[in-house]
């Protein structure tokens, strides 16, 4: 046993159990080159889906921990509206019409049909019956052949003729300018009333909730509801009133062009990095199970 030189004491273990100044294998993090202060970390994580044709995988930007994600946060809503304005700056109702009455009829006929289909039928329809009174003089059966191609033609004929008769009997043949009176017309619910009030009279009484607005509002997590009236209430709470009319036109166009029901064209969508819909076809962000069509 080697003797310690006089005046020296043997080394004792430290309280932590680690010996002082013992060289340890560097951890991978410690050995990585340090980033300069203030530089942003690149998003990492598993990619959701591949960008078609690119052969590369897009990184997913994770929702930051610490601050709870709020899909209804005012700055997120403002960003959605801003991007919709850039995408669809001047969109209007796609149904061909020259009066409130024609728009009312076209909207009734558009249920479960396409605007293109309705626009094929209405020019001849309004040439044949040019006034509300002309429609009011018909029986539903007489109108059926003229609207047959729009589908559900028996119910639609009943609604159009019923609405015309009611307008002539109670409103002097004029389409009323308020929601309550419009809702007394046969075949007219809030969606049709909102279309007429918003698109013709420019009165923002509510938000049009058709199939596109229903689907996209859920995808964008502006609502979790399925009932059109509840969806409308949710949208009226988060969308500023002065945007109600334009917002529904923009969303309807978005639903036709990009955010289509079966395979939304997410790769081309300017809302992509703020959309977390569960059924996205391509994504750079986390998808949320509540946000779906
Ligand atoms: S990213 Fe996709 S699902 Fe989301 S709004 Fe755009 S098209 Fe629709």
């Amino acid at each position: 046993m080697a003797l310690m030189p006089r005046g020296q004491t043997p080394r004792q273990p430290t309280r932590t159990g680690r010996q002082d100044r013992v060289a340890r294998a560097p951890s991978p993090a410690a050995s990585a080159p340090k980033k300069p202060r203030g530089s942003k970390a690149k998003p990492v994580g598993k990619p959701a889906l591949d960008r078609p044709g690119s052969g590369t995988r897009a990184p997913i930007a994770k929702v930051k921990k610490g601050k709870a994600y709020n899909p209804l946060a005012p700055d997120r809503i403002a960003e959605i509206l801003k991007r919709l304005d850039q995408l669809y700056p001047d969109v209007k109702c796609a149904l061909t019409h020259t009066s409130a009455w024609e728009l009312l009829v076209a909207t009734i006929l558009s249920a479960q049909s396409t605007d293109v289909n309705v626009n094929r039928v209405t020019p001849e329809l309004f040439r044949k019956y040019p006034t509300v009174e002309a429609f009011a003089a018909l029986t539903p059966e007489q109108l059926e052949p003229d609207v047959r191609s729009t589908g559900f033609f028996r119910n639609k004929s009943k609604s159009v003729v019923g609405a015309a008769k009611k307008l002539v009997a109670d409103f002097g043949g004029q389409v009323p300018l308020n929601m309550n009176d419009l809702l007394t017309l046969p075949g007219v619910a809030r969606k049709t009333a909102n279309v007429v009030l918003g698109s013709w009279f420019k009165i923002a009484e509510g938000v049009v909730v058709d199939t596109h607005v229903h689907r996209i509002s859920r995808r964008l997590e502006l609502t979790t509801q399925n009932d059109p009236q509840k969806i409308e209430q949710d949208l009226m709470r988060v969308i500023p009133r002065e945007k109600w009319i334009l917002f529904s036109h923009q969303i309807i166009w978005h639903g036709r062009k990009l955010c289509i029901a079966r395979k939304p064209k997410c790769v081309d969508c300017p809302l992509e990095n703020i959309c977390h819909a569960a059924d996205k076809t391509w994504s750079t962000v986390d998808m949320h199970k509540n946000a779906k069509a």
Side-chain angles (χ1 to χ4, degrees), residues 75-95:
D75 51 349
R76 180 173 185 265
I77 302 291
E79 189 60 33
I80 290 173
L81 296 178
K82 190 177 111 189
R83 294 188 196 186
L84 286 173
D85 282 347
Q86 289 163 350
L87 199 53
Y88 310 106
D90 192 24
V91 282
K92 295 188 178 73
C93 178
L95 292 166

Side-chain angles (χ1 to χ4, degrees), residues 236-281:
M236 287 164 73
R237 267 192 288 275
V238 295
I239 307 295
R241 188 172 195 140
E242 66 271 16
K243 284 282 187 181
W244 287 356
I245 299 171
L246 184 59
F247 172 79
S248 44
H249 288 318
Q250 289 171 327
I251 291 290
I252 291 167
W253 279 98
H254 192 51
R256 290 195 188 114
K257 300 261 175 218
L258 292 172
C259 196
I260 48 184
R262 286 208 178 163
K263 273 195 180 173
K265 299 174 182 172
C266 305
V267 72
D268 297 322
C269 177
L271 298 172
E272 192 284 315
N273 68 346
I274 49 172
C275 172
H276 302 268
D279 58 348
K280 284 172 79 174
T281 51

